[in-house]
Every structure is written in structure tokens, then in C-alpha cells.
Amino acid sequence: MHIDILTLFPEMFEGVLNTSIMKRAQDREAFSYQYVNFREFTVNKHNKVDDYPYGGGAGLVLTPQPVFDAVNHIKANVSNKPRVILMCPQGEPFSQEKAEELSEEEHLVFICGHYEGYDERIRKELVTDEISIGDYVLTGGELGAMVVMDSVVRLLPGVLGNEQSAPEDSFSNGLLEHPHYTRPADFRGEKVPEVLLSGNHAKIDEWRHYQSLRRTYERRPDLLTNRVLSEKEQKWINEWKNR
């Protein structure tokens, strides 16, 4: 996978992209990236990328010309058709399902805006996906792009040390992840559940499923709204309801 990042502040990405899993992914040639500072594509003498909104109002709006030219420059140098992602509070809420979808792509382009917003023609003509990481507003799209990139890149083949790690993550199967324990078996009087020490993998799997469903039921019941429950899952939920 290759990722192009349209940003006015490429230095913001350095720590994230050159540390931990993201660095490992590059070392294993799972993905590559490049920064595209769209200020370099401006045609006005002051290199401005923003202007006052028509109709008045507070703040400044990103002008279309430098963003259009930057994206077209990227497209002119590749044979595939990239997914162009606009980081935007108005976008589709980001999810594990979306991360899995994007991880199947060969080429992603992230547009990270600043100021009050984007000229609407950027949204209408260039963008294939609008993504929001939550119902709040950030200074710019860079932090959101980092979140999405990290979530996507870790799903690429060969990036995680254990290939089972990603499928067992929270939300990957529609449920929150089960509790985890490690050594010591007894820490300050709090003991690891006996089933995890039993070596009985069938019972361990059932315990994890039970705990995963219970945690979801207690913390994120909205995730169960459209889930087709098995007979066993429905039985467990009925037990919790009747307590």
C-alpha cells in the first residue's frame, strides 16, 4: 500500500510514522508514504491556501486550486485510481469495518485541512470518502489522518507479529474484546481466572466469548442492536437481564 498525505504540516506525522508498528510496517515494505504540501501548488504570489468565505462568517476556508492541483499531480503519476479521503467532522464515523475496507486498497490519499473548512468543490469533485473520528472538532485533519492510517496499516499482511491479533481486536467481530491477563497469576490478591490456567482451549474460548459479549452488553449495548444472536448468546443475555 502507498499513502499520500496532503498536509500543510508534514512534521506532525514524523513521530507517528517512524515509531512502533508504523515503522515496522515500512521496514517490512507493507506500506510506503509521502507528504504532499499543497501550499507548494498555489499559483498566487503570496502562497495563500485559504480565503474568506463568500457570504461572510468567521474563519477562513481552504481554496480549491492548490488541493485540486496536488491531487491531480498525484493521480498523473500512478496507474491505479486512489481512494481520496477527506478528514472532516461531517464525514462517516470511522469504524473497524471501514479500516478493514481501506486496508484492501493499494493507494490512499488523505486530505488534511485546516482553518474553518473546505471549499465545497473539493468535497464534491475530488473526494471518494469523508471520514470523521468522532463528534468533536480538531485544529486540523492531521491527527484524524494519523488515527485512520494507524488503524489501517496494522491490518496489512505481515505487519503484526501474530496474525491472530487483528481478528481478535475489539469491533472486528462486532463485539468488544474480552479481558486479558498475564503473569503473575496472583497480583496483590487479585487472581487470574482459573479457566485461563486450565489448558482447556475449548473452555478458554467459551470464557472469552462470554466475557466479550458481556462487556459489550454492559458497555456498548448499541453494538448488539443488529447482531443475530446465537442461542447461547441469547441465553447469556437473558441471564444478565434477570439478575
Side-chain angles (χ1 to χ4, degrees), residues 130-148:
E130 295 181 49
I131 292 179
S132 166
I133 62 166
D135 294 339
Y136 48 87
V137 178
L138 299 170
T139 305
E142 284 79 9
L143 292 173
M146 292 178 209
V147 168
V148 176

Side-chain angles (χ1 to χ4, degrees), residues 26-215:
Q26 294 171 70
D27 292 342
R28 296 182 178 181
E29 299 183 347
F31 97 109
S32 59
Y33 71 91
Q34 76 169 357
Y35 304 124
V36 180
N37 189 333
F38 53 90
R39 190 182 299 279
E40 297 175 2
F41 289 83
T42 56
V43 294
N44 64 78
K45 63 180 181 181
H46 300 296
N47 290 330
K48 286 185 62 179
V49 295
D50 60 313
D51 212 330
Y52 294 103
Y54 281 122
L60 298 167
V61 175
L62 282 176
T63 58
Q65 177 270 315
V67 178
F68 267 72
D69 285 0
V71 172
N72 289 335
H73 172 77
I74 292 169
K75 289 181 176 180
N77 289 282
V78 296
S79 57
N80 56 15
K81 187 176 181 181
R83 292 277 285 271
V84 180
I85 299 166
L86 189 73
M87 300 308 305
C88 174
Q90 303 169 33
E92 169 191 352
F94 189 55
S95 64
Q96 186 66 22
E97 182 180 4
K98 189 69 172 182
E100 292 168 0
E101 176 190 329
L102 293 177
S103 72
E104 300 294 324
E105 297 291 332
E106 293 182 14
H107 188 181
L108 301 177
V109 177
F110 286 88
I111 302 177
C112 306
H114 253 68
Y115 315 114
E116 181 65 22
Y118 305 92
D119 185 289
E120 187 67 13
R121 288 162 290 192
I122 295 172
R123 190 189 311 273
K124 291 173 65 175
E125 301 296 331
L126 292 180
V127 172
T128 60
D129 302 81
E130 295 181 49
I131 292 179
S132 166
I133 62 166
D135 294 339
Y136 48 87
V137 178
L138 299 170
T139 305
E142 284 79 9
L143 292 173
M146 292 178 209
V147 168
V148 176
M149 288 173 62
D150 182 276
S151 184
V152 169
V153 168
R154 67 188 299 279
L155 297 174
L156 299 177
V159 172
L160 296 179
N162 185 339
E163 293 303 317
Q164 277 302 108
S165 294
E168 294 178 358
D169 286 339
S170 289
F171 307 110
S172 291
N173 62 357
L175 301 175
L176 299 183
E177 198 170 8
H178 56 75
H180 291 280
Y181 292 89
T182 187
R183 295 179 178 83
D186 185 335
F187 180 69
R188 299 180 179 178
E190 189 73 23
K191 296 182 179 180
V192 173
E194 286 294 330
V195 65
L196 298 179
L197 307 175
S198 69
N200 186 324
H201 293 292
K203 287 188 175 181
I204 290 172
D205 287 344
E206 183 176 48
W207 180 88
R208 286 175 170 168
H209 185 187
Y210 177 92
Q211 295 294 335
S212 181
L213 182 67
R214 184 169 187 175
R215 183 162 284 188

